[in-house]
Amino acid sequence: MRPTMRRSTEPRRRWAAALGITALVVTGGGLLGGPAQAAATASVAVDFPTHCIPPPIAGIPPIDGTTTAQITVDDATPQVGDTVAVTYTVVVPAASNPVDLALPADIMTPTGKVTLGGAQSGDVTVAGPKKNPPVPGKGAFPSFSMTGTFTVTAPGAITLSPGDYNIHTSYIMELDTPCTVTGPPAPVSETVVATGGGQVNERAVQLSAASGQAGDEVTVTGTKFTPGAGITVAGRDGDAQTGDTTTATADGSGAFTARLAVSDPDTTGIVAYEGGAWDAEKGAGPLAYTVTGGGEIPDGSQQLTTTVRAGTLSMTQAGDSVQLSGVDFGRGGASTGDLHTVTVEDFRGGPAGWSLTGKVTDFTGPGGARISADALGWTPSCATKPGSPSTCAAGSAGAVGSAGATLASTPDGAATGGEFTVDAGLSLDVPAFTGAGSYAGVLTLTLT
């Protein structure tokens, strides 16, 4: 948590709002460039209509304009299995600076997608550095470039078209202006012609976002990994791994989902791989990722930091002795009562849920007489305290027995925790003509 003290003069608020608006003044007439021939390998700049949504704080309606962009690659004739580096350059954004005040340098971070077609389909995530020249008042927004990679999985002509893009601005406020292609796909800007190669590594990853502030989590999903394999998800800075890492396990289909907290400002990409170290044959990526914000403190401001400490999983119970109702000799029947309320506190702050189970011993009485543990049944109930990230579920009504049964639980999830109260109605089925006297059994509860 990083609340920041800011100067609150009205002109600066208006200017801060303007910083995130990259689509305010339309700079084109909306004409489309014609599609390139499928076999062409020369990159060309193309025009395409763009729908941009300014930040809500600006109070300005969406803008429909024209973007001019160009896609280039480092290898126009790759083999199947090769990794191709892609550069998406927005030559002319669909906007200009709408205010008279000049905008400072290095406040804009672009991210986007390149659309693949032809022999191979999908999107390539691209991202650019936070680097821009100063923009004069009412001046045109500058050109910017974003980079990413994809692995060739099929021979033939693969077309590359500009896709949606977003400009994130970091100054006083963190603001986004997403711009989407109207009537996608955009015209083809580049075509690569792939030829057959060796065995293809079809492992692939996708990111929920291509940028975020330091400390933000990004959801990473992977496909076609080895079923059951341990997966490492990590940040990359060129050929080096950064300190941002997490782990996951591929399911039976080879898919996985992980949440990676990206805090290292040097992280420029994200990979996923099997084994103890990066191996291009057993991994996927890197996908471009840009850390925005988290380091700049405007003049006259102070950065405040705090720490939220993870706690423990624990339970308490309102008592340790339950007196069940009596039954008559010769008739037997249900001996009933209520479990003392159990309070569960999950303050760990991780992704794991919990399970509360119980098992009971035989009930022993005078002269070694016994009532089987299987004769004890319960009807569980569970309540969740408002505001808890998790919701508890009561176990099934039925026998407890010496093998045990579930009293209550919460599922695993991206964010778990909370406070819960667990209760149960108890019923011991006493056989007819059970010897008169007092019987006792021990019900043990286990929280994991």
Side-chain angles (χ1 to χ4, degrees):
M1 294 180 282
R2 298 182 175 177
T4 304
M5 297 172 61
R6 301 183 174 94
R7 289 193 290 258
S8 59
T9 61
E10 186 60 26
R12 292 199 68 170
R13 280 201 298 268
R14 290 197 298 266
W15 181 58
L19 294 182
I21 305 164
T22 63
L24 303 181
V25 179
V26 178
T27 60
L31 297 177
L32 294 179
Q37 296 299 317
T41 58
S43 171
V44 295
V46 296
D47 295 336
F48 55 95
T50 312
H51 180 73
C52 299
I53 302 176
I57 191 174
I60 297 174
I63 301 298
D64 292 299
T66 299
T67 298
T68 301
Q70 186 167 6
I71 308 297
T72 58
V73 297
D74 68 337
D75 184 0
T77 56
Q79 287 192 322
V80 172
D82 286 351
T83 298
V84 176
V86 179
T87 299
Y88 179 174
T89 299
V90 175
V91 181
V92 181
S96 64
N97 183 0
V99 298
D100 292 323
L101 184 63
L103 306 183
D106 302 336
I107 64 168
M108 300 179 181
T109 305
T111 57
K113 300 279 189 181
V114 172
T115 300
L116 302 180
Q120 185 171 335
S121 61
D123 290 320
V124 180
T125 302
V126 291
K130 183 163 64 175
K131 186 173 181 62
N132 62 273
V135 181
K138 295 296 180 67
F141 278 114
S143 172
F144 55 85
S145 294
M146 304 166 285
T147 60
T149 62
F150 75 96
T151 300
V152 179
T153 60
I158 304 171
T159 60
L160 293 85
S161 301
D164 302 341
Y165 62 91
N166 177 74
I167 296 180
H168 180 91
T169 55
S170 301
Y171 191 78
I172 307 301
M173 292 187 224
E174 303 288 334
L175 300 171
D176 287 289
T177 299
C179 294
T180 58
V181 179
T182 303
V188 172
S189 174
E190 173 72 293
T191 301
V192 302
V193 179
T195 56
Q199 184 176 359
V200 179
N201 174 12
E202 294 188 287
R203 295 171 181 84
V205 290
Q206 292 288 333
L207 308 180
S208 61
S211 66
Q213 295 187 62
D216 284 356
E217 286 189 335
V218 58
T219 300
V220 183
T221 56
T223 56
K224 296 191 177 180
F225 283 73
T226 303
I231 308 297
T232 296
V233 179
R236 299 280 290 183
D237 177 17
D239 294 332
Q241 186 164 304
T242 67
D244 301 323
T245 61
T246 190
T247 59
T249 301
D251 63 18
S253 68
F256 73 87
T257 299
R259 294 181 64 84
L260 177 67
V262 183
S263 302
D264 193 327
D266 291 332
T267 293
T268 59
I270 294 175
V271 298
Y273 57 86
E274 302 172 21
W278 167 251
D279 181 349
E281 297 301 320
K282 294 185 178 181
L287 292 185
Y289 188 87
T290 302
V291 179
T292 63
E296 304 79 5
I297 304 176
D299 293 341
S301 300
Q302 298 180 30
Q303 178 174 282
L304 309 179
T305 62
T306 188
T307 300
V308 177
R309 292 185 295 270
T312 60
L313 176 65
S314 63
M315 72 173 183
T316 57
Q317 53 188 21
D320 58 7
S321 180
V322 177
Q323 180 63 56
L324 301 179
S325 63
V327 297
D328 295 331
F329 173 78
R331 296 184 181 277
S335 175
T336 61
D338 293 310
L339 183 74
H340 286 295
T341 297
V342 178
T343 300
V344 176
E345 294 182 336
D346 183 3
F347 295 158
R348 295 170 294 174
W354 54 263
S355 178
L356 179 60
T357 59
K359 61 182 179 179
V360 67
T361 64
D362 288 343
F363 287 73
T364 58
R370 290 178 177 270
I371 302 173
S372 171
D374 293 334
L376 180 71
W378 63 16
T379 304
S381 62
C382 184
T384 301
K385 183 176 180 179
S388 299
S390 298
T391 300
C392 70
S396 299
V400 180
S402 59
T406 298
L407 180 59
S409 64
T410 62
D412 295 344
T416 64
E419 298 180 67
F420 315 89
T421 53
V422 184
D423 295 281
L426 303 175
S427 180
L428 180 66
D429 185 13
V430 180
F433 300 106
T434 297
S438 177
Y439 290 77
V442 177
L443 174 65
T444 301
L445 300 178
T446 303
L447 179 64
T448 57

